[in-house]
Amino acid sequence: MRKYDVILWDLDGTLLDFKLSERYALGVCLKDYGIELTEELLALYSGINENYWKRLELGEVTKKELLPGRFRDFFAAVGITHIDPVAIQQKYQRELGTMTYYVDASDILLKDLKQRGFKQYMVTNGVVITQEIKMKNSGFDKIVDGIFISDEIGFEKPRIEFFDAAFEQIPDFHKERAILIGDSLTSDIKGANNAGVDACWYNPDGKENHVGCDIRYEIRSLQELYNILGVV
């Protein structure tokens, strides 16, 4: 007998390669202003962006502050004064969902799990317009049974309120029959702990568990899920 009926998926960094999409979107946006994206600029922006999202998870900033704030800090750090952070932010969010890159053939995996009868849902902290574009362009919108986005729910992962709202919308949901799979210790795994569901940490780079979360499973490849889910 299968242990799980419901799979809760994180999207960015788990099913889709966010770093590649980030590189593409930032490059396109800066090019509009005559700026070539270098590895140094990408690393600087990425670090600022990650820090903002960590602060969002901790409740130190709001999403409204985060979206233009990361560009404002980025431009200040490199001395760019002719670009409006709000304007580039809006274009960036659209471009971020334009190019999608699958992780570990995740599109094939989700289709196969659907055929095997698993119910699958996305649980993401992303921006609504970006995540909806990603879902459509990746084809995931035709596969999963639902998508829960923090912008729409009003709370971010790992807040219990995010998961409570999501679980209320899943038919015949039982926590003990659900598993959450994600790459982030602070939002996905901690969120699963808060919500009372089993956590599977997608950790392809073999990072250390510096947060002290309760990790039920740890995998390097998404294909390892077949053993965890009890299917061959």
Side-chain angles (χ1 to χ4, degrees):
M1 181 179 177
R2 292 179 180 176
K3 185 174 182 179
Y4 305 106
D5 302 313
V6 173
I7 302 174
L8 305 169
W9 288 106
D10 170 56
L11 184 60
D12 294 307
T14 302
L15 296 176
L16 297 178
D17 191 322
F18 175 78
K19 291 298 183 181
L20 289 179
S21 294
E22 179 184 60
R23 176 188 293 270
Y24 169 80
L26 189 60
V28 168
C29 291
L30 291 180
K31 186 176 182 180
D32 285 350
Y33 295 92
I35 300 173
E36 179 183 357
L37 178 64
T38 63
E39 292 300 322
E40 291 75 17
L41 288 176
L42 177 62
L44 177 61
Y45 169 79
S46 183
I48 292 172
N49 183 52
E50 288 180 7
N51 183 58
Y52 261 100
W53 282 99
K54 295 299 183 186
R55 292 172 61 196
L56 180 69
E57 293 170 8
L58 296 172
E60 295 177 356
V61 296
T62 65
K63 183 74 69 63
K64 187 176 181 180
E65 293 169 330
L66 178 156
L67 298 179
R70 54 189 174 175
F71 284 103
R72 188 174 294 112
D73 290 359
F74 172 57
F75 294 154
V78 297
I80 294 175
T81 59
H82 66 290
I83 305 178
D84 178 10
V86 175
I88 196 173
Q89 145 63 26
Q90 293 172 345
K91 179 176 176 58
Y92 175 78
Q93 288 304 148
R94 294 190 296 271
E95 294 294 345
L96 195 57
T98 300
M99 299 295 289
T100 53
Y101 306 88
Y102 301 113
V103 172
D104 290 346
S106 57
D107 56 330
I108 297 174
L109 173 63
L110 265 65
K111 289 176 183 176
D112 185 47
L113 293 176
K114 180 180 179 68
Q115 292 177 347
R116 293 173 184 270
F118 288 96
K119 296 297 182 181
Q120 302 178 84
Y121 297 87
M122 295 293 177
V123 287
T124 174
N125 273 353
V127 177
V128 171
I129 185 174
T130 304
Q131 303 308 76
E132 288 181 344
I133 294 173
K134 286 180 182 178
M135 291 294 292
K136 181 178 180 180
N137 289 343
S138 66
F140 289 154
D141 62 330
K142 300 294 194 300
I143 302 173
V144 302
D145 298 276
I147 175 171
F148 302 108
I149 305 174
S150 59
D151 269 0
E152 295 179 320
I153 289 180
F155 296 97
E156 309 287 331
K157 294 183 296 182
R159 293 279 296 273
I160 183 62
E161 293 90 344
F162 173 91
F163 292 98
D164 284 345
F167 296 165
E168 288 178 0
Q169 300 178 58
I170 300 177
D172 194 29
F173 181 77
H174 301 281
K175 290 185 178 182
E176 66 275 10
R177 302 288 296 171
I179 182 171
L180 189 151
I181 303 159
D183 68 304
S184 171
L185 288 171
T186 53
S187 65
D188 300 318
I189 308 306
K190 186 176 180 180
N193 291 173
N194 291 341
V197 298
D198 282 352
C200 178
W201 185 24
Y202 175 59
N203 183 23
D205 298 325
K207 298 177 181 178
E208 293 293 326
N209 178 6
H210 62 281
V211 179
C213 297
D214 180 15
I215 302 172
R216 182 71 175 84
Y217 308 99
E218 181 177 339
I219 57 176
R220 297 286 186 269
S221 166
L222 294 181
Q223 307 308 314
E224 294 178 52
L225 285 172
Y226 282 110
N227 287 331
I228 294 172
L229 296 174
V231 296
V232 294

